[in-house]
Amino acid sequence: MAVSTAYGGCVDTFGIGAKATSMGGAFSAYADDPFAVYYNPAGLTQIKRPTLAFGAHIIEPDLEVKGFHIKGTQDPRFLDEQGNPKNFKVDDEFPTLVVPHLGFAMPLTDRISMGIAAYAPWGLEVEWPGNPDKNPGVHSSYHSYYKRLAVTPTIAYKLNDQLSLGFGISIGQSKAGGKKIPYYFSSDVTQNQASAIVNAVLDPTTGQPRDPDTDPAVIANARALGRALEMHGQEMELEISDDLNYSFNLGVMYRATETITLGLTYRSETSTDFDGDLKRNGVKIAKATMKYNHPQQVQAGIRYAPHDRFSIEFDLVWTEWSINKNQREDIFPIDGSPSFPLEYERNWDNTRQIRFGAEYVLSEMITLRGGYFYDPSPIPDDTLDLMWPDGDKKTYSIGAGFNFGSFTLDTVLQLTAVEQDRIVGGESNNFNKSYKDVIAGNDPIVSAKAGGHLLGAGVTLSYRF
């Protein structure tokens, strides 16, 4: 059984198991430990003895947003003494992530092997300061998370000495949520105007139209302004989950020659149906639902081992992020008022990760490893926001394995660097609309520059019975 996840950047894993992580995740044509259930289920046929593995992975993010300013607003909080847009610098408050993992696999016959895994193929958690005076980004988002945990029983079959197949079914639970302080009015004047419009159309006691013959469009506008008045400047928190969902992993491993092995892994899309609560200042005010699927992936790799002491592997990972064009949360107030949606454009792009890994057996006791992967961001400039901050990333890793007979200790150190500062200068519709006054109808333009790095370390202890 395996348990592992890592959040930060976007939502793909930074690694499962220290061995694979130290090789940059270029592991689909190697996959010879219990974490093959994720990297390539067919690799389980290489395990000759029952093997138990456990450990932890730690990630420490260090990110910042610089030059954060908003044009097109008269709100004095966003202006300097001369009336020009004020520049803000915001440092992250991401938690240090300590992620355990454990795994088990064993042969059943000379051709059939099994493994079972509990791990997190997707995970993100983002946290920024919650003080709006120091971080105007709270009006976009200042805490968000999105993750899936899955239990994956897996079976693998060795057709012959060259070809193996593997298949696993992932039974998962997904959780998502976030906090923000919505912004709808730039001054008391426009807030009072909105209140006057709402009171003229809706009875404040019943929430129903004063005149049943009122134009439905006028009623809808009044209700929308009423919701804006209720949420403006308040801490809104969303907590939703999908308690049961399914996907599958399929793997093929082919030893083409004595020195070349090919691996191919397919991880299917996961259909989700989230539901949970919307809270205002900690008090539940509505039920919420969301449908936001986890994407399918294809990972293909080639491993070259010219002799038994050295090997190198190259993998390509394709992810279909484009399945989610919009993020829509449907809100059902518990006071009986009409439901309404909260919508965010996403329009993410599909990505292709490039992964490299190398291994050198220094002695019977020590094995050295290194890895690299390039992870392009799927998020275009026009939908970037603080709920899903991301940039093109390069991850470098080194590690070592120590063999003590039946015990093996694998280690990894990891550095993830944002390739270059992510810059937006008004392109992001999601950012801009977070500062729009719904009465004044202004056209805010948000500009910012973000960058940083993540440090990671991990260890896995394996025992072969």
Side-chain angles (χ1 to χ4, degrees), residues 64-367:
E64 68 174 7
V65 176
K66 299 171 289 187
F68 191 134
H69 63 270
I70 306 151
K71 296 180 181 178
T73 177
Q74 296 303 311
D75 192 323
R77 293 190 302 122
F78 305 143
L79 304 175
D80 62 20
E81 294 178 356
Q82 287 73 43
N84 299 315
K86 182 178 179 180
N87 282 308
F88 292 84
K89 178 179 176 293
V90 185
D91 293 316
D92 76 79
E93 293 186 353
F94 293 17
T96 298
L97 305 163
V98 181
V99 187
H101 58 264
L102 79 99
F104 178 77
M106 63 178 290
L108 299 177
T109 71
D110 59 346
R111 289 184 178 271
I112 301 174
S113 299
M114 64 79 63
I116 186 168
Y119 60 96
W122 309 109
L124 168 143
E125 184 169 5
V126 176
E127 189 165 2
W128 304 94
N131 184 342
D133 293 328
K134 296 182 178 180
N135 174 25
V138 298
H139 303 307
S140 171
S141 173
Y142 68 94
H143 186 203
S144 59
Y145 59 90
Y146 178 80
K147 57 189 176 181
R148 182 186 186 223
L149 305 175
V151 175
T152 309
T154 302
I155 196 79
Y157 181 71
K158 183 178 180 179
L159 277 74
N160 52 49
D161 289 341
Q162 286 75 43
L163 183 63
S164 294
L165 305 175
F167 178 77
I169 297 177
S170 294
I171 304 165
Q173 179 189 64
S174 301
K175 294 184 177 182
K179 292 181 180 180
K180 66 185 295 184
I181 300 177
Y183 180 92
Y184 295 107
F185 308 103
S186 59
S187 68
D188 291 341
V189 173
T190 55
Q191 194 168 354
N192 291 336
Q193 289 176 345
S195 182
I197 293 171
V198 173
N199 290 332
V201 178
L202 302 176
D203 186 309
T205 303
T206 64
Q208 299 303 313
R210 293 181 183 276
D211 181 354
D213 295 327
T214 302
D215 187 327
V218 174
I219 296 173
N221 180 63
R223 293 194 190 281
L225 288 175
R227 292 192 295 268
L229 289 164
E230 292 174 354
M231 292 190 288
H232 176 75
Q234 309 300 307
E235 180 190 85
M236 305 301 297
E237 180 179 7
L238 181 71
E239 293 181 333
I240 52 178
S241 65
D242 177 12
D243 292 333
L244 189 63
N245 50 53
Y246 304 91
S247 63
F248 65 87
N249 300 338
L250 179 66
V252 180
M253 187 173 286
Y254 178 65
R255 189 172 185 181
T257 70
E258 288 295 318
T259 59
I260 296 176
T261 303
L262 306 176
L264 181 64
T265 306
Y266 174 73
R267 295 183 278 269
S268 74
E269 180 179 332
T270 308
S271 179
T272 63
D273 289 294
F274 290 89
D275 65 80
D277 300 329
L278 178 66
K279 299 178 181 179
R280 182 177 61 221
N281 299 327
V283 178
K284 178 180 176 180
I285 62 169
K287 296 289 290 181
T289 64
M290 180 179 76
K291 186 175 179 63
Y292 205 77
N293 292 352
H294 305 289
Q296 64 178 336
Q297 281 188 320
V298 177
Q299 181 167 352
I302 179 169
R303 179 174 181 246
Y304 175 59
H307 53 77
D308 58 4
R309 298 176 70 89
F310 175 76
S311 68
I312 187 169
E313 180 166 340
F314 165 76
D315 280 32
L316 185 66
V317 182
W318 174 82
T319 306
E320 192 186 19
W321 295 113
S322 63
I323 59 170
N324 293 309
K325 299 296 184 184
N326 294 283
Q327 179 181 337
R328 173 177 170 136
E329 300 150 6
D330 288 301
I331 309 301
F332 302 88
I334 59 176
D335 64 5
S337 57
S339 63
F340 61 93
L342 297 175
E343 295 188 82
Y344 310 88
E345 267 190 295
R346 292 302 169 205
N347 295 324
W348 287 6
D349 301 319
N350 298 334
T351 61
R352 293 174 179 85
Q353 295 177 350
I354 298 173
R355 296 176 176 260
F356 293 96
E359 180 180 76
Y360 178 70
V361 180
L362 187 65
S363 66
E364 287 189 6
M365 181 178 178
I366 301 174
T367 300

